[in-house]
């Protein structure tokens, strides 16, 4: 299997499977002399880890990161930063019933067709457990970009969504398990997710992200446009089905005279339909985008599928799964965005 690395100047390479001994990776390209706050890195992992509330998977992983290289006395050395996260609560017996069965909307069938085998325990390498390593890389990237702020939050769960009438308080995001910046809407979303779980079903949603204090001139035409890099990063995340930035798909109903971002004399723009990126290059305005997540594919309901012998069979999910992946995806979205911005920042710095 190829494609285990992400980034150009700042490159993250990961390893591991959901039910293996450990997961981890190497982050290469981090400049020397950066004082890292290791507690902040662990905090980002704690935001992503399973078992943190009643509306997520109850798999209990401490997700403690152990750094193996590239850091001395809390300061980066410029050498590759190696790290490891142990798997401690992997109940492989929960997946014995799908050893020869292909779950609908999972990577089971395509992995088996491409590689001739697959690790059926929790999805193996295709599991969202892999994203824990991305969060470590993204947490380090955030500390390279000391002035840049990444704020992702739950915008919608199913048909429940924030509207223009709803107040938004970014300080409320980490004060509710749904990670919605409006407590009233968050309570409605939480109740809805609990109801979906009781039905043995799942639901999707949308994550919004705002990146503020972004340096100008990040991104390169033609094939390294900043929004294209962000789009690839977001579409890499498990269960993501869509990405748009700025006005996105909403812009199709606007006239050009409404959509154009007119300039102020200081080079800022009066509106930000461009989402902070023009011509593939950051213009200093906030970058904002949306990420659409599908309903989790594993259901606690019986479904028809096929096995490796092309026979139709009936199966039902077992084990511990998220009824809605959106709340735990928030730190993953921020991490991948941070890796993209840091990569573009370091490349731009090296060229200048």
């Amino acid at each position: 299997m190829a494609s285990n690395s992400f980034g150009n100047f700042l490159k993250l390479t990961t390893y591991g499977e959901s039910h293996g001994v450990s997961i981890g990776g190497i982050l290469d390209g981090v400049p020397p002399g950066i004082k890292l706050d290791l507690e902040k890195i662990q905090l980002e992992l704690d935001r992503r880890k399973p078992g943190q509330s009643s509306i997520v998977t109850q798999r209990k992983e401490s997700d403690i990161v152990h750094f193996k290289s590239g850091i001395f006395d809390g300061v980066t050395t410029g050498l590759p930063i190696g790290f490891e996260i142990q798997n401690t609560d992997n109940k492989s017996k929960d997946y014995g019933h799908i050893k020869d069965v292909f779950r609908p909307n999972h990577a089971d069938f395509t992995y088996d067709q491409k590689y001739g085998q697959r690790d059926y325990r929790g999805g193996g390498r295709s599991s969202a457990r892999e994203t824990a390593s991305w969060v470590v890389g993204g947490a380090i990237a955030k500390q390279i970009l000391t002035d840049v702020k990444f704020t992702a939050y739950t915008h919608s769960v199913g048909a429940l969504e924030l509207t223009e009438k709803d107040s938004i308080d970014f300080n409320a995001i980490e004060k509710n398990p749904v990670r919605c910046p409006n407590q009233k809407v968050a309570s409605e979303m939480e109740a809805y997710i609990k109801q979906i779980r009781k039905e043995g079903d799942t639901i999707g949603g949308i994550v919004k992200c705002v990146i503020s204090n972004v340096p100008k001139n990040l991104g390169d035409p033609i094939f390294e446009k900043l929004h294209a890099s962000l789009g690839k990063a977001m579409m890499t995340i498990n269960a993501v089905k869509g990405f748009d930035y700025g006005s996105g798909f909403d812009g199709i109903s606007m006239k050009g005279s409404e959509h154009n971002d007119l300039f102020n004399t200081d080079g800022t723009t009066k509106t930000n339909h461009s989402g902070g990126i023009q011509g593939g290059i950051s213009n200093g305005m906030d970058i904002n985008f949306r990420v659409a997540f599908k309903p989790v594919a594993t259901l606690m309901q019986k479904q028809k599928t096929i096995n490796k012998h092309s026979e139709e069979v009936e199966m039902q999910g077992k084990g511990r799964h998220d009824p809605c992946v959106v709340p735990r995806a928030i730190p993953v979205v921020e991490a991948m965005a941070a890796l993209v911005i840091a990569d573009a920042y370091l490349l731009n710095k090296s060229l200048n």
Side-chain angles (χ1 to χ4, degrees):
M1 180 187 292
S3 305
N4 293 301
S5 298
F6 180 83
N8 298 303
F9 195 97
L10 181 68
K11 180 172 288 189
L12 175 67
T13 301
T14 67
Y15 75 87
E17 299 83 43
S18 177
H19 286 222
V21 175
S22 67
I23 57 175
I26 294 175
L27 186 64
D28 200 5
V30 179
I34 296 176
K35 177 69 175 177
L36 291 180
D37 187 332
L38 301 183
E39 290 185 2
K40 282 187 176 180
I41 297 173
Q42 186 58 54
L43 179 61
E44 294 291 338
L45 274 170
D46 292 344
R47 295 172 67 209
R48 193 222 70 97
K49 72 179 181 181
Q52 60 186 273
S53 76
S54 61
I55 61 170
V56 302
T57 172
Q58 294 306 294
R59 179 172 174 171
K60 299 294 184 182
E61 294 284 359
S62 59
D63 278 0
I64 303 298
V65 60
H66 301 279
F67 289 101
K68 305 293 186 179
S69 62
I71 302 172
F72 182 71
D73 284 343
V75 179
T76 61
T77 63
L79 302 177
I81 297 176
F83 61 90
E84 180 183 38
I85 303 168
Q86 294 288 322
N87 290 329
T88 60
D89 191 27
N90 42 357
K91 297 182 178 179
S92 301
K93 62 181 178 60
D94 288 342
Y95 297 90
H97 67 297
I98 62 164
K99 181 179 180 181
D100 298 318
V101 174
F102 301 129
R103 296 169 295 174
N105 273 46
H106 278 275
D108 299 349
F109 180 78
T110 50
Y111 268 49
D112 197 77
Q113 291 291 298
K114 183 175 178 68
Y115 302 110
Q117 60 178 352
R118 79 180 203 276
D119 184 346
Y120 60 87
R121 305 166 304 166
R125 186 86 171 121
S126 69
S127 170
R129 178 109 185 97
E130 156 75 9
T131 63
S133 297
W134 308 355
V135 169
V136 174
I140 295 173
K142 284 183 178 181
Q143 296 190 40
I144 295 173
L145 305 161
T146 53
D147 296 325
V148 183
K149 184 172 179 59
F150 299 82
T151 306
Y153 61 90
T154 298
H155 172 72
S156 70
V157 172
L160 291 174
E161 66 176 10
L162 289 168
T163 68
E164 293 182 358
K165 296 180 181 179
D166 295 315
S167 61
I168 292 181
D169 178 9
F170 285 168
N171 292 321
I173 295 173
E174 293 300 320
K175 294 180 180 179
N176 63 79
V178 186
R179 294 200 166 97
C180 174
N182 180 289
Q183 189 55 54
K184 179 179 179 295
V185 179
S187 297
E188 295 172 355
M189 290 177 173
E190 182 178 358
Y192 183 48
I193 293 173
K194 288 180 178 179
Q195 180 59 40
I196 290 292
R197 165 170 263 168
K198 287 181 180 178
E199 296 170 0
D201 218 327
T202 62
I203 193 70
I206 292 175
V207 171
K208 276 194 173 183
C209 184
V210 179
I211 312 174
S212 53
N213 298 325
V214 182
K216 296 178 181 178
N217 305 326
L218 303 186
D220 294 275
I222 299 295
F223 298 119
E224 291 295 334
K225 294 183 175 74
L226 190 59
H227 59 273
S229 297
L230 284 169
K232 178 180 179 180
M234 296 307 128
M235 296 298 287
T236 298
I237 301 172
N238 306 58
V240 168
K241 302 299 285 186
F243 166 83
D244 71 354
Y245 74 102
S247 62
F249 286 100
D250 296 336
I252 64 170
S253 61
M254 302 173 70
K255 296 177 182 178
S257 56
E258 299 170 312
H259 191 271
N260 283 352
D261 294 319
L262 302 183
F263 287 104
N264 296 308
T265 55
D266 61 359
T268 61
T269 56
K270 298 180 187 297
T271 54
N272 192 22
H273 300 304
S274 299
I277 304 170
Q278 294 176 325
I281 301 169
S282 63
N283 63 3
M285 300 293 286
D286 287 355
I287 293 175
N288 56 77
F289 59 84
R290 298 184 297 185
V291 189
F293 287 82
K294 72 175 182 178
V296 175
T298 298
L299 310 181
M300 298 300 135
Q301 298 179 3
K302 292 182 179 180
Q303 287 186 297
K304 296 288 187 182
T305 188
I306 61 171
N307 60 23
K308 66 186 303 182
H309 305 296
S310 299
E311 301 167 332
E312 188 176 84
V313 296
E314 187 176 73
M315 66 150 289
Q316 180 175 342
K318 296 181 181 179
R320 305 154 295 175
H321 304 278
D322 292 277
C324 179
V325 73
V326 174
R328 287 180 61 218
I330 302 299
V332 182
V333 168
E334 291 182 5
M336 293 305 288
L339 284 168
V340 170
I341 300 300
D343 189 24
Y345 169 76
L346 291 172
L347 178 60
N348 196 56
K349 188 176 180 180
S350 71
L351 294 175
N352 291 285

